[in-house]
Amino acid sequence: MKRTAAALAAVGALALGMGAAQAADPLKVGFVYVGPVGDFGYSYQHDQGRKAVEEKFGDKVKTSFVENVPEGADAERVIRQLAQTGHELIFTTSFGFMNPTIKVAKQFPNVKFEHATGYKRADNVATYAARFYEGRYVAGVIAGKMTKSNVIGYVGSFPIPEVVRGINSFMRGAWSVNPDVKVKIVWVNSWYDPGKEGDAAKALIDQGADIMVQHTDSPAPLQVAENRGIKGFGQASDMIKFAPKAQLSAIVDHWDEYYIDRVQAAMDGTWKAEDTWHGLKEGMVHMAPFTNMPDDVAALAKETEEKIASGDIKIFEGPIYDQAGELRVKEGEVAPDEMLLGMDWYVKGIDAELPK
Amino acid sequence: MIRLEPRRQHSQKMVYLSPLLAILLTLITGAIIFAFMGKDPIEALYTFFIMPINNAYGVGELFVKATPLVIIAVGLAMGFRANVWNIGAEGQLTMGAIFGGGLALAFYDSESALLLPGMFVLAAIGGTFWAAIPAWLRTRFNANEILTSLMLTYVATLFLSYLVYGPWRNPEGFSFPESRAFPDAALLPIIYDGTRVHLGAIFALLIVAGGWVLLTKSVVGFQLRVVGQAPQAARHVGFRQKRMVWFTLLLSGALSGLAGMFEVAGPIGQLQPSISPGYGFTAIIVAFLGRLHPIGILFAGLVMALTYLGGELAQIGLGLPSAVTGLFQGILLFFLLACDVLTKYRVRFGTVSKSGETA
Amino acid sequence: MDWIVPFILTVITASTPLLLAATGELITEKSGVLNLGVEGMMLIGAIAGFAITASTGSATLGIFAAAIAGMVTALVFAFLTLTLMANQVATGLALTIFGVGISALVGSGFVGFAIEPLPALNIPVISDIPVIGPILFGQDFLVYFSIFMVLASGWFLTRTRAGLILKAVGDSHDSAHAIGYNVIRIRYMATLFGGAMSGLGGAYLSLAYTPMWAENMTAGRGWIALALVVFATWRPGRLLAGAYMFGCISVLQLHAQSAGINVPSQFMSMLPYLATVVVLVIISSDYTKIRLNAPACIGKAFRPAQ
């Protein structure tokens, strides 16, 4: 009972806002996930990052997370509860948490917030995102080399800028080695429905696709590729276990270093509300091993990856026209990040209509 | 062997005691589960049931979370009493949010005091409209409303998705799927500073009171009670089934629509792809947990809301996965539903049945 | 036209989990019990099947485990609603919440595991016949089982004494009891059967359809299965047609998108739901036929008078 009483006292103290960290106390770091950590996709990868933080700092940190948080009225409460229970650094990992994060941040000026994939910042709100599209360019190069039917099947979740950017980047990669490549896109209106994603993949294969790309979270499309004897790419994590013969590579989210850096900065007092957009260079995005392809394609993929990291390849370098033929990026210029952030048009050559 | 003996009359004592017994049983079972998972049972139960409401903000959140549940459940309960199975409150909620929210977006720079009342009206119309479809299909074509209302829920949420990804997307929002923020004139006023409790909570209470009056003091309420308890008799007396279908579906549709608008004009403040974590479905449980009675629904809604808040704190404070919340909620509901039996029956142990005692 | 055969194969796999769960629920409802916990029972079946298959390497054991797990879950429901006479609608919904939670808890150790998909029963020579071969003879065991169970249920309900008793219990428990049938026991059995079939429906997802475990992987299919029972007006034959129609339109809209049809994808995704409503309206207009099929006592508690 003594332990219980102590726990109750501690809990009470925190609730009253008296739990301000003392020197010896661990830094409390909170994470808010939109999905379950068991999705083996987006939220799972963020949680891997959280675990890396725990491993790195041991008892100098204490992390908590709340999973399956709906992007509605509940998000604000969850974020606030984290702030109120003494968490000094809080990562909110989905776009839909943007406005709640900003609101809570106003009420807790001494707490540091980090919001993933959004665009609103404040003195105590930083933003971060990964340049997944860089990985998609590499995947496009591989696909362009590997396809025989010249038809790519693309399983999309929702037509948001991140996904559209990924399609554009992928196709520019593919065209760089094979100008005849075409893409067929199916939107499943879900981030996570293995059955539906798999069915979409089957439909695409039935219509001639021989390379499967996905921007949804489950390994289902890749499993279908394996089953039907075609190739494909993993999403968010290395999915080679699900498709040992089909996975060419995977675009892996890797939040470990970023989370460790930010926690370190918070400990050192050097944390600032910045906007971070990291990609292949910094390792926030990296490619799973290049498998199931000839050596020369693997070598080309490796070279492409390195060139993107070094800046020799600039993916959205002009001239870039959109489908209507309008010049979006002038020759000699590179699309600025603001344009990429809000990208809602397909580049010229994509033979599909973007849902609007 | 457990035997149940019917009581001559519903036990009034048990009406109040059975939920307490259920909660006690849940606490014991919960304590065992938490101990089994290596958590301090007392601390875990404290986190679940007390910590969420040990400050003003927490109590406020309880009301915020319970508001849509209670409003929807009151409407649904009327239908369930008349054997009208509206499973699609979630869709009607979504339509209410679209209609009400649509008005706010159409006048996104308005400061008119008429905007909010207009949203109330449109939200009620939106929900009613979406419930009128199953009502019409049932009364005109005999199509089962369980299926039609459920299927229309999927249609409504996809329609909302279409709007916020497409025509209603915030033009200044970098093409992300969300509408503009509603203007201040379209937001529900906060009724207690420092919390998120909005005008909707007052409406929830008014709707509970209204539901109670409707059920106990009005002719319609009398009919509902008769239809629910003795459908044969109701048919003899000549209550028109079709009119009941229309009335209960439209009423629950209007209330669900209002609940949806309260969410988007209250704590959310804009339209976005997901506006409800399944309130329309959870409200079905709340309706039955509250024994299809408005006052019971009020308490059931608060209990249900509390478990959600507790589940979040259990994740934060104890590191329990959200799965445990579902498990725990399930067990609490099982006990609450099972203990209901005590209001109508006496539990007897032993296999020998006493002859002579009949129902 | 060479996409036709794979298209049909896709429809079959998409429909099978719905068909399995819906057949079980149909029998349950015919006995007068409304179990809205299909989604929860499917998830529990899915994780049980996957966990056992992944740890023993035997899909057969996994399938049995899924059926048993579904039955155990249904037993909880049956005890609450039949013995303790708790409200069926609310208990069913609570069962879904419970099922989502417990499957996620058990499944947390199996995230990211890969297993071999359920093998197809390839019969040499016959399976190689063009078109008919792969469709009729190239499926996995559960596909045949699902169709067999639909036919068997139809036969059971119309041609057997036990089936007639089951329907009698569902239509008028008081009369059935008066004749001397044990209403509660019959309803227990029907509910357990429903649980086993929902468990198998879940196992089809985690073992054959998309061989993996992920939280909430049923993604609402339990609700569709429930709707299909209503759609079928409690007739197994129509259930078969309904499940395949739903599967067909779901897959067709993906094909249409892939072929580049320029309609917002949300509207395409609405099609299966809208089609189900429209077809239901058409077949429901014949008032008398429906009345005869819907179990009159559905959802009502029964307590034998002593």
Side-chain angles (χ1 to χ4, degrees), chain A residues 31 33 41-50 52-53 91 93 115-117 128-132 162 236 252-262 276-278 283-286:
Chain A
F31 292 80
Y33 306 136
Y42 186 76
S43 293
Y44 175 85
Q45 286 303 128
H46 280 288
D47 202 50
Q48 295 298 310
R50 179 188 67 84
V53 167
F91 294 92
T93 61
H115 175 241
T117 71
Y128 64 105
R131 296 181 190 271
F132 300 122
E162 188 197 325
V252 181
D253 310 1
H254 193 76
W255 306 103
D256 301 19
E257 281 86 18
Y258 180 74
Y259 285 154
I260 289 171
D261 283 355
R262 301 302 280 178
T276 306
W277 238 26
H278 284 174
M284 193 180 270
V285 180
H286 74 89

Side-chain angles (χ1 to χ4, degrees), chain A residues 227-239:
Chain A
N227 222 320
R228 294 282 187 96
I230 69 157
K231 306 287 185 216
F233 296 92
Q235 156 86 359
S237 54
D238 188 345
M239 294 176 171

Side-chain angles (χ1 to χ4, degrees), chain B residues 104 222 276:
Chain B
F222 174 69
S276 157

Side-chain angles (χ1 to χ4, degrees), chain B residues 61-104:
Chain B
E61 284 301 305
L62 186 71
F63 286 119
V64 170
K65 188 87 187 169
T67 295
L69 292 174
V70 170
I71 294 175
I72 299 169
V74 168
L76 291 179
M78 302 297 169
F80 294 161
R81 277 176 178 265
N83 290 319
V84 178
W85 298 101
N86 180 3
I87 306 294
E90 184 81 0
Q92 293 140 26
L93 174 153
T94 306
M95 272 299 164
I98 290 173
F99 273 57
L103 187 71

Side-chain angles (χ1 to χ4, degrees), chain B residues 21 26 36 39 59 144 186 198 204 270 282 301 327 332 337 354:
Chain B
L21 179 67
T26 308
F36 186 70
K39 308 286 171 192
V59 176
N144 190 311
H198 51 79
Q270 63 183 161
T282 313
L327 192 73
L332 171 69
L337 293 163
K354 275 179 261 169

Side-chain angles (χ1 to χ4, degrees), chain A residues 25-43:
Chain A
D25 284 347
L27 181 81
K28 289 179 82 175
V29 184
F31 292 80
V32 186
Y33 306 136
V34 68
V37 295
D39 66 1
F40 201 64
Y42 186 76
S43 293

Side-chain angles (χ1 to χ4, degrees), chain A residues 38-161:
Chain A
D39 66 1
F40 201 64
Y42 186 76
S43 293
Y44 175 85
Q45 286 303 128
H46 280 288
D47 202 50
Q48 295 298 310
R50 179 188 67 84
K51 285 179 179 160
V53 167
E54 285 218 315
E55 197 166 309
K56 164 89 180 167
F57 294 103
D59 54 9
K60 282 194 284 179
V61 294
K62 186 176 179 312
T63 68
S64 336
F65 69 90
V66 188
E67 56 180 336
N68 277 326
V69 177
E71 292 178 321
D74 295 313
E76 185 179 333
R77 175 178 58 250
V78 169
I79 298 166
R80 197 180 191 279
Q81 292 287 15
L82 282 168
Q84 202 176 24
T85 45
H87 292 80
E88 292 169 78
L89 179 61
I90 297 168
F91 294 92
T92 57
T93 61
S94 176
F95 171 74
F97 299 149
M98 177 169 73
N99 293 329
T101 304
I102 296 289
K103 265 192 218 167
V104 177
K106 266 185 205 146
Q107 298 162 5
F108 292 86
N110 295 323
V111 177
K112 301 169 183 70
F113 295 86
E114 300 240 3
H115 175 241
T117 71
Y119 54 84
K120 288 185 186 167
R121 274 174 296 280
D123 285 345
N124 58 336
V125 183
T127 50
Y128 64 105
R131 296 181 190 271
F132 300 122
Y133 67 90
E134 295 184 345
R136 291 192 179 269
Y137 187 92
V138 180
V141 169
I142 299 169
K145 282 281 183 193
M146 295 294 291
T147 180
K148 291 186 187 70
S149 66
N150 282 338
V151 179
I152 308 293
Y154 211 111
V155 182
S157 48
F158 296 98
I160 58 170

Side-chain angles (χ1 to χ4, degrees), chain B residues 181-193:
Chain B
F182 289 173
D184 285 344
L187 295 178
L188 293 170
I190 299 290
I191 56 175
Y192 189 86
D193 275 346

